[in-house]
Amino acid sequence: MAAEVGLRARGKKQSRIGSDILRDRHLYLMLLPFMAYYIIFYYRPFGGLVIAFQNFKPLLGIEGSAWVGFQNFLDFFNGPYFWRIVGNTLTISLLNLVFAFPVPIFLALLFNEIRNSKLRTLFQTISYMPYFVSTVVLAGLIVNFLSPSTGIVNLILKQLGSEPIYFLTRPEYFRTIYLIQGIWAGAGFGSVIYYSALCSIDMDLYQAVKIDGGGRLRQIWHIALPGIRPTIAVMLIMQIGNILNVGYEMIILLYQPATYQTADVISTYMYRVGIQNSNYSLSTAVGLLNGVVSLILVMAANAVSGKISETGVL
């Protein structure tokens, strides 16, 4: 009897799932291209990670290449550039975390304080625009701005009586340049998430603070910031998870051998080793190690966030 009831309940559940799929079939059809994209470009290549444990030769293929175990990982750890690239990656990521991460939050709070909707839309549009500029174009603008002969920065320095500086060949300036362009390009678009969270806060809470005599700063401190705290926690977890994934496109476009000392990071090292030197096994080993460490960092940050603020991504 119990088995019959269980079978009947399972049959009803399956029929309900089938009817739900039939009802929402157009939505599932719209989802198929995105699923196919992730399967083809993200999940299917997982099988290629095996070359991290091989001395991979393209002509021999994965099955014909010799198995070397963890030798590629040892070569990376014992390589002459290990400490340099890991140090640069962590330094640039921590600079982004300290200086760039709070900027979108600050911008969102400013936008939320602008009562004129047309003026707010104008300022938001201006702040979003750099995000949609191509990385190549953005790098070209930076090169032109910092040109020692025609760049606006050096023209100002000449007017002030200083000698022109070729910033892009000086290692001590690279991290600052990278940090500033990252803030300029991404802060406006990054503020969208926080501003959306601010818009969901009940306006009665602001009115309550006003009745108690609280001004704008107190409203921000006691209402706005606590209201977006879960969003901040989630974004911080994601940022910590990507602490080893410094965007390599801009660095590749701006750096040169003279600035490797402060500009070379894990992703650019993988590019040089894998694409330029055709050492696919070592490049894959570094990428696999990077992914594993990033996963551990995400899980650790999520656990800490869950204990402190009861907010997480998992």
Side-chain angles (χ1 to χ4, degrees):
M1 185 67 178
E4 184 178 347
V5 173
L7 288 173
R8 192 178 303 162
R10 191 179 303 117
K12 289 182 179 179
K13 184 177 180 181
Q14 291 175 351
S15 63
R16 186 169 63 251
I17 293 174
S19 62
D20 290 343
I21 294 175
L22 184 63
R23 182 193 62 199
D24 300 328
R25 60 188 180 279
H26 297 102
L27 295 176
Y28 286 109
L29 286 174
M30 293 174 62
L31 185 63
L32 283 178
F34 299 97
M35 294 177 62
Y37 170 79
Y38 278 96
I39 291 172
I40 294 172
F41 295 104
Y42 285 87
Y43 291 99
R44 186 174 177 273
F46 277 1
L49 292 176
V50 70
I51 70 176
F53 305 94
Q54 294 179 323
N55 181 17
F56 177 71
K57 302 295 182 183
L59 295 178
L60 298 177
I62 293 178
E63 294 182 358
S65 298
W67 187 268
V68 295
F70 291 96
Q71 186 59 46
N72 291 311
F73 297 91
L74 295 176
D75 290 342
F76 173 60
F77 290 134
N78 297 324
Y81 305 117
F82 173 76
W83 292 110
R84 184 183 74 182
I85 62 176
V86 172
N88 289 339
T89 303
L90 292 176
T91 300
I92 293 175
S93 293
L94 290 175
L95 287 173
N96 276 320
L97 194 62
V98 173
F99 295 103
F101 182 79
V103 175
I105 303 172
F106 181 71
L107 270 180
L109 292 172
L110 288 180
F111 293 149
N112 193 52
E113 293 300 315
I114 300 176
R115 301 308 178 203
N116 188 314
S117 59
K118 293 184 178 179
L119 192 61
R120 181 174 61 245
T121 301
L122 175 63
F123 288 147
Q124 286 178 320
T125 303
I126 293 173
S127 67
Y128 298 163
M129 287 176 65
Y131 180 82
F132 298 100
V133 177
S134 168
T135 303
V136 177
V137 174
L138 185 57
L141 291 174
I142 294 172
V143 172
N144 288 329
F145 287 157
L146 300 179
S147 171
S149 56
T150 59
I152 186 172
V153 176
N154 276 299
L155 290 177
I156 294 173
L157 291 177
K158 288 180 182 178
Q159 293 297 322
L160 296 175
S162 299
E163 292 294 325
I165 303 172
Y166 197 173
F167 291 96
L168 294 178
T169 62
R170 302 281 291 274
E172 63 270 23
Y173 292 118
F174 186 87
R175 291 170 182 167
T176 303
I177 294 170
Y178 180 82
L179 181 65
I180 292 174
Q181 68 80 26
I183 294 174
W184 178 68
F189 189 80
S191 67
V192 174
I193 298 174
Y194 300 108
Y195 182 72
S196 300
L198 286 169
C199 290
S200 66
I201 298 176
D202 190 349
M203 296 301 296
D204 291 340
L205 297 175
Y206 291 104
Q207 294 298 328
V209 175
K210 285 183 180 179
I211 293 173
D212 290 339
R216 290 285 183 88
L217 291 178
R218 185 164 293 182
Q219 292 174 37
I220 292 173
W221 184 257
H222 293 286
I223 303 299
L225 285 176
I228 63 174
R229 186 184 301 159
T231 305
I232 295 174
V234 171
M235 298 303 293
L236 182 60
I237 291 170
M238 296 175 65
Q239 182 84 1
I240 292 175
N242 288 317
I243 202 167
L244 296 181
N245 298 321
V246 178
Y248 66 92
E249 298 94 342
M250 181 60 68
I251 294 180
I252 288 176
L253 291 169
L254 292 180
Y255 83 158
Q256 47 193 295
T259 57
Y260 281 177
Q261 177 184 345
T262 57
D264 196 21
V265 295
I266 292 176
S267 53
T268 57
Y269 176 77
M270 289 167 55
Y271 168 80
R272 286 204 317 279
V273 170
I275 304 300
Q276 295 183 344
N277 299 337
S278 300
N279 192 341
Y280 305 110
S281 294
L282 179 58
S283 180
T284 305
V286 176
L288 177 58
L289 181 65
N290 192 16
V292 171
V293 174
S294 297
L295 177 61
I296 294 172
L297 288 174
V298 168
M299 296 179 66
N302 184 72
V304 173
S305 176
K307 291 184 178 296
I308 295 176
S309 63
E310 298 182 357
T311 304
V313 296
L314 301 175

